[in-house]
Structures are given as C-alpha cells and as structure tokens.
Amino acid sequence: MDNKIYIICGHYGSGKSEFAVNFAKKLKQENLDVVLADIDIVNPYFRSREIRLSLESLGIDVISDTLNSVKGLDMPYLSPAIRGQINRKDRTIVLDCGGDAVGCRVLRQFSEDIKKRDYAMYMIINVFRPETSTIEDILFMKDKLESESTLKITGLINNSNFIKQTTIEDLIYADTIIKEVSKRANLPVVYVSGLKSLIKKLPEDISGTPFELELHLRSNWL
Amino acid sequence: MAKVMMKGNEAMALAALKAGCKAFFGYPITPQSELPEYLAKHMPKYGGVFLQAESEVAAINMVYGASGAGVRVMTSSSSPGIALKQEGISYMAGAELPAVIINVMRGGPGLGGIQPSQADYKQITRGGGNGDYYVIAYAPEDLQETVNVIKEAFDVADLYSNPVMIAVDGLIGQMMEPVDVDMEVSKRELPEKTWATTGTQGKRPPVNINSLYLDPLNLEKHALKLAEKYRLIKENEQRYELVNMDGAELVIVAFGTMARIVRSAIELLSEEGIKVGLLRPITIWPFPEKAFNEIPDSVKGILSCELSTGQMIDDVKIANNGRLPVGFFGRTGGMLPEPEEIVSAVKAMLGGLKHE
C-alpha cells in the first residue's frame, strides 16, 4: 500500500475506533510510517487516544488534542498538528472520526488539503444498529457523512456485529444488505471485519476482504 | 424489535419510550447526553413531549409538574446534575409523585471528571435531599438488565407514588451491547391516579399536590405514612443475585460495572482453586439485606468492591450484622480496576483471615 489518507467514518457505535486502531496496526506491519489521528470530538468514551501509549510503543504516532490526553478530556478541539500531518505526503495517516454526520463535520476544515492527496474514505457499517439496519437508512447515512465532510466515501466496511455474540449467519445476513448498498451506491465492499474466531470461518463468496479485529478499547471483562 | 446493538444511553431512552414515558425534561451533561439526544429525536414519534430545560433545577421541577398531572415522566443526568436536582426530588417524595430519574454516574465530588464512578451511592441511598424519605434505586450491570429495570421502574414508581432512580455508571451509558428492548418484564397492578391534577370537570373537588405541611402534627402524620410506605418497599422490593455461593470461602459484594469486573476475577480465582461468591445488589435502596441470610457457613469474610472510596460498605456491615469480617477494595475518580487487582485483594483478605 502507498502512503495515503484513510478516513474511517460511520454511524456512532458502528465500531469505527476499534477498526481504525486495528487498521493502523496492519498498516504499520506493512512497514508504513503511520500516524493515527483521533478526531472524535463528539464522544469522550471508547476513543482510540485511550491506547495512545501502547500504539506509540508499536511505533504508531497518535495525535488528538494538544494536551495529549489519554482519557477524560471532554473538550471539543483538535491539535493543530493534525493539519500538518495531513499534508505530510511521506506518511500514512488514519483519521478516526467521531460518529454520524456531526463527527464528519470536523473533516470539512481539512477537506481541501485531503483532496490534494490520494485518500480512501471508508464507511463502517453495523446493520444491527437500529439506525443503519436497512439499505435506505445506510444510503441516507452515507449521504449525510459525505455532505457534512464535503468528501466522497470510497468504500464500505461490513463490521456488523453483536460483539462476542456475533454468528456467521449474522455476517451473511449483513452481507445481503451491504451488497445491495454497494450496488446502489456503486461503492466496493472493501473489508468484512470481525473477531478472529469468526473471520476464519467466513464463506468465500462474502463481499469484502476478511479483516481480523482484536478488541483494544473494550476491556476483556466487558 | 429483535436483538439490536445499542449504546447504553440510547437503550435507556428507548426503554423509557417502550414503558410509556410521555414526557422528558433534562439538561445535557457528559456521559449521558446521548440519552436526551435520542429522546429529542424519537419522543415525538411516540406522541410525547421532549424539552431541554434551562437547567437541571428547571428540568426536575418540570418533572414534578408533569407527574402531578398524572403523566409518565422521566429525567436523566449525571452526578453533578443529579445533585442539582435533589431539591426537586425531595419535593416529589414529599408530594408522593412518581417519576423515573436516571443517574449515569461520573467521578466526583464537585465537577469531578467524566469517567465512570459509583461515588453517588450515599446520595442515592440516603434520599439525597432534605427530609425523611428514600428513592427506590436500581443498579443494573448490563444493558439488557438496565432496559428491563427501566421498564419495570415506571410501574414501581406509580405503584408506590415515589421517585425511582436508575443508578448506572458512565461505562454502562457509553458501552455497546446487544439488547432486546421488547423483552417481557413483570407488570404491577397499578392503582388509578385519583390524585392527579387532570381537571375536576365539575364532578369532583379539586386535588392539591404539595409537600408543605405547616402544622407539625400533620407533618409528623405524613412522615409516618411515608415511613410505612418505605417499610413496605423494603419488605417487597429488595432485589439481588447470588453467584457461585456453594462452598465459597469469601463473598464479594458488588453492583453495576464493578460486579462485571468481579465476575472475571472470580473466574481467575477459581482457576487457582479459590472459591469466591458474588452477592450482587440489583436494588441498592432498598439494600438487599435478605441476601445476607443466604451466605453459607463456608464463607470466612466479605469484601465490598466499589467504584468509590467505600460507601456501600456501611450497608454491607449493617446487613452482615457483625457476623463476618468485612473488607474493602475500590478504585475511584473514574478509574476501573483490572480483574487481577480484585484477585490480589481477595488473596490479601483471605491471607489476613488465616492469621487471625
């Protein structure tokens, strides 16, 4: 993969941050110089900045706010370093957005800079979230994410799950919906993501490249 | 609706709508703001009223008004906001008005922080405002149980004409979990709200909703009537879960998120051959004193585990009534322990007991 900007967006609670963290680790394993920007200023829980220290120990830079907070800061502002990183063509940047259109609004200030680079904007979808459970709802959400960010979504990610209770049948059912979204929106299903135990058992005809997730933000006991 | 994935705050809001809640008054505060946000969007579809008040104090007084008119009503907030609502809650208890109040607790005192906490335990279980009163308080541990107790809480509030609080911490508000919001819960036989200010239609004398009793003899009568109600609630509404009690050497008392961490600790301990039980209060008021009678003779001590510096431990000691040594483990300020920390606390306590 080349150095580019990956934007991870979607409905809130769809699993954006867990995916973004796993994706940043995968890019790092491909020997890219990776920076993860947590630009979620909507919600102060379960954000990727919470594991900044462990990501930094893997060589992944993490930026969010100027105080380099890990947990607990409830202030809607971003580090100015984010714009600088977006313009660093020698680095790969993963932008972990806040949920819904309001989470994507943050992107608008960077959109002209982002458009100058090769970027991918992935919409994370969990069809078991009540507000993205139908084809129409997902397409509506996609339009909102695009209009708020002034950027175009380039791919879909089937991250449908009930966390540890997810079954293969759940992912196959989700695939039927997301396949139709893919057709209507003319967008590829880039990945189908889930816990390792599940991803190993996926049927071959499911859309998207299988992507194994390790849960980093959710404690084992939860 | 089948099983769906929801965030705690959303699921709590939807549970209220499913329970027939027709009015919500609130004011935003982290970590519960998604709850009013969800209701702002969805309440109109259910034919109800959502209103963001100018403050917590205004919101709770709007709850008083709606409840007085016989409407199923709810408010929600987080610790500092709940503290602001205490005057209104005391007035509602005094005027015998039902309502459901959700407290998504964060660290304190004062503004504290925004991470999960159980440090409002004493405020919740001792009434919280002025005067001789209590609020019934549920402290569920996962989203399914939270949804179920909210649906039941509206009935319980109506049954006893008293505010009911749902005491969860920020983590339960913010976490995702599969949940079935239409799961059946037990329904109560409810009296008609003959006291509600719904208009006399010229057919009955006006009713008066009030917590002011200037004649001390009347106020004493009123307080004794409330006390009798609270005695009944203590008798009938204690709820708890006992886990792994058979042959346990030690019992941990924990509720909410802490109980979930304790469950993992108990598994780790059993791998080492140490048998530990969990006594999980589901109501924190009334405190499940009855559960302590079920602690078997094999148990040598009780460990109160809390997300505070130790508030429930007093109730544990009262319920234990001097029978067993009582220890404490807690993290506070928004910090959550790892199960291993509880494992260490259990071993330390068992070690100490052997030397006695």
Side-chain angles (χ1 to χ4, degrees):
Chain A
M1 281 193 216
D2 298 329
N3 285 322
K4 64 191 216 181
I5 299 179
Y6 295 93
I7 302 163
I8 312 300
C9 65
H11 182 31
Y12 94 110
S14 58
K16 295 175 297 302
S17 293
E18 291 283 13
F19 182 86
V21 166
N22 280 274
F23 192 62
K25 285 175 75 172
K26 177 183 132 72
L27 294 170
K28 183 72 201 170
Q29 280 161 10
E30 291 170 10
N31 284 320
L32 290 165
D33 180 17
V34 183
V35 53
L36 174 68
D38 173 356
I39 58 169
D40 184 353
I41 58 169
V42 181
N43 194 298
Y45 276 61
F46 295 107
R47 292 188 293 195
S48 45
R49 70 189 69 173
E50 289 181 17
I51 56 161
R52 175 171 64 84
L53 297 175
S54 79
L55 289 172
E56 282 175 354
S57 72
L58 298 172
I60 298 167
D61 281 350
V62 179
I63 38 176
S64 52
D65 53 59
T66 48
L67 294 177
N68 265 333
S69 71
V70 172
K71 242 185 186 184
L73 199 67
D74 190 11
M75 291 181 189
Y77 77 101
L78 299 173
S79 165
I82 292 170
R83 186 182 299 280
Q85 294 297 328
I86 286 171
N87 286 307
R88 285 275 302 267
K89 292 193 175 146
D90 57 326
R91 301 195 83 182
T92 298
I93 181 162
V94 179
L95 291 168
D96 178 13
C97 299
D100 288 351
V102 66
C104 269
R105 193 176 300 161
V106 177
L107 288 167
R108 190 179 292 203
Q109 62 194 299
F110 306 123
S111 64
E112 291 312 311
D113 293 306
I114 291 172
K115 284 174 195 164
K116 285 180 203 153
R117 283 187 63 177
D118 186 12
Y119 79 88
M121 182 161 170
Y122 296 150
M123 177 180 177
I124 308 280
I125 304 164
N126 180 354
V127 304
F128 303 114
R129 294 280 288 142
E131 289 182 38
T132 52
S133 60
T134 67
I135 297 158
E136 289 71 28
D137 285 346
I138 297 167
L139 288 168
F140 182 60
M141 179 68 73
K142 171 197 158 279
D143 289 347
K144 285 197 295 182
L145 299 174
E146 290 184 329
S147 60
E148 284 294 330
S149 63
T150 70
L151 296 165
K152 286 281 170 203
I153 288 171
T154 62
L156 309 173
I157 294 173
N158 179 4
N159 188 49
S160 300
N161 73 86
F162 290 113
I163 314 174
K164 290 169 191 165
Q165 296 177 29
T166 323
T167 63
I168 290 286
E169 290 70 35
D170 291 333
L171 272 173
I172 292 170
Y173 164 76
D175 187 53
T176 61
I177 292 179
I178 292 174
K179 226 178 233 164
E180 188 58 29
V181 172
S182 161
K183 206 158 81 184
R184 290 206 210 166
N186 194 24
L187 287 171
V189 182
V190 185
Y191 293 111
V192 50
S193 50
L195 296 174
K196 198 175 180 177
S197 52
L198 211 63
I199 289 298
K200 276 198 230 154
K201 291 184 271 177
L202 281 180
E204 280 188 7
D205 60 345
I206 201 159
S207 334
T209 306
F211 189 95
E212 280 179 17
L213 286 178
E214 222 182 296
L215 297 185
H216 293 284
L217 302 174
R218 194 180 173 93
S219 307
N220 278 335
W221 50 262
L222 197 62
Chain B
M1 199 187 250
K3 193 171 65 168
V4 288
M5 275 288 279
M6 293 193 89
K7 222 164 229 223
N9 286 331
E10 296 175 326
M12 289 191 277
L14 182 55
L17 293 174
K18 296 276 178 181
C21 175
K22 286 284 183 262
F24 179 94
F25 307 98
Y27 188 81
I29 182 172
T30 305
Q32 64 84 52
S33 294
E34 297 86 357
L35 200 165
E37 188 183 3
Y38 187 93
L39 288 173
K41 191 171 174 186
H42 295 273
M43 182 67 101
K45 289 185 226 163
Y46 286 77
V49 171
F50 169 91
L51 200 140
Q52 182 175 315
E54 64 268 41
S55 71
E56 286 86 351
V57 178
I60 193 68
N61 284 292
M62 291 173 186
V63 170
Y64 183 109
S67 179
V71 175
R72 280 209 154 168
V73 57
M74 182 168 91
T75 187
S76 68
S77 192
S78 177
S79 307
I82 292 290
L84 280 165
K85 289 183 205 278
Q86 290 301 339
E87 178 193 66
I89 297 170
S90 167
Y91 278 43
M92 291 185 77
E96 295 195 82
L97 291 175
V100 173
I101 299 154
I102 296 182
N103 182 0
V104 185
M105 290 183 274
R106 56 188 250 181
L111 275 174
I114 57 166
Q115 296 296 326
S117 165
Q118 297 176 334
D120 297 355
Y121 181 91
K122 284 204 171 159
Q123 186 192 59
I124 294 165
T125 58
R126 267 63 187 162
N130 62 300
D132 272 339
Y133 81 96
Y134 295 95
V135 296
I136 301 155
Y138 292 93
E141 68 166 350
D142 61 27
L143 292 198
Q144 189 63 57
E145 188 175 53
T146 304
V147 160
N148 292 355
V149 297
I150 288 173
K151 285 159 74 179
E152 218 181 322
F154 280 94
D155 267 19
V156 172
D158 281 346
L159 179 63
Y160 295 103
S161 261
N162 200 74
V164 175
M165 193 168 285
I166 309 296
V168 293
D169 62 68
L171 194 81
I172 293 177
Q174 292 290 336
M175 74 181 176
M176 302 284 308
E177 221 160 47
V179 62
D180 174 5
V181 286
D182 291 321
M183 192 180 277
E184 285 291 319
V185 299
S186 77
K187 291 225 181 326
R188 310 299 179 100
E189 192 95 11
L190 297 178
E192 208 187 323
K193 293 180 176 177
T194 51
W195 45 263
T197 53
T198 51
T200 66
Q201 323 291 331
K203 286 174 188 155
R204 60 160 172 80
V207 289
N208 189 13
I209 291 176
N210 178 37
S211 69
L212 180 68
Y213 292 79
L214 285 174
D215 175 350
L217 192 60
N218 277 342
L219 181 54
E220 186 186 49
K221 255 190 218 158
H222 180 57
L224 291 173
K225 180 187 162 210
L226 293 182
E228 174 55 20
K229 178 165 86 179
Y230 296 131
R231 191 192 62 75
L232 265 177
I233 294 170
K234 273 188 180 178
E235 189 62 41
N236 298 325
E237 302 296 338
Q238 291 183 30
R239 194 174 295 177
Y240 55 90
E241 185 190 4
L242 297 172
V243 183
N244 211 32
M245 281 288 170
D246 278 349
E249 291 175 61
L250 193 109
V251 165
I252 296 177
V253 185
F255 66 91
T257 290
M258 190 53 135
R260 294 179 71 145
I261 306 173
V262 166
R263 283 177 192 272
S264 288
I266 287 175
E267 276 177 36
L268 293 175
L269 285 157
S270 89
E271 282 165 19
E272 296 184 47
I274 303 170
K275 240 191 135 194
V276 174
L278 168 65
L279 189 164
R280 182 171 73 88
I282 301 172
T283 52
I284 51 174
W285 196 90
F287 191 72
E289 294 183 359
K290 291 175 181 175
F292 287 72
N293 299 329
E294 298 179 48
I295 294 176
D297 290 337
S298 58
V299 173
K300 298 192 217 52
I302 299 176
L303 185 65
S304 184
C305 288
E306 311 176 38
L307 296 177
S308 72
T309 56
Q311 299 199 18
M312 178 177 66
I313 188 170
D314 292 347
D315 282 337
V316 172
K317 284 177 178 169
I318 292 167
N320 177 53
N321 203 15
R323 178 183 153 201
L324 293 163
V326 176
F328 174 74
F329 170 80
R331 293 295 302 266
T332 193
M335 295 302 296
L336 297 173
E338 289 301 321
E340 290 76 10
E341 295 176 62
I342 295 165
V343 167
S344 301
V346 166
K347 286 180 182 169
M349 185 166 178
L350 282 173
L353 291 174
K354 274 175 194 141
H355 290 114
E356 271 170 21

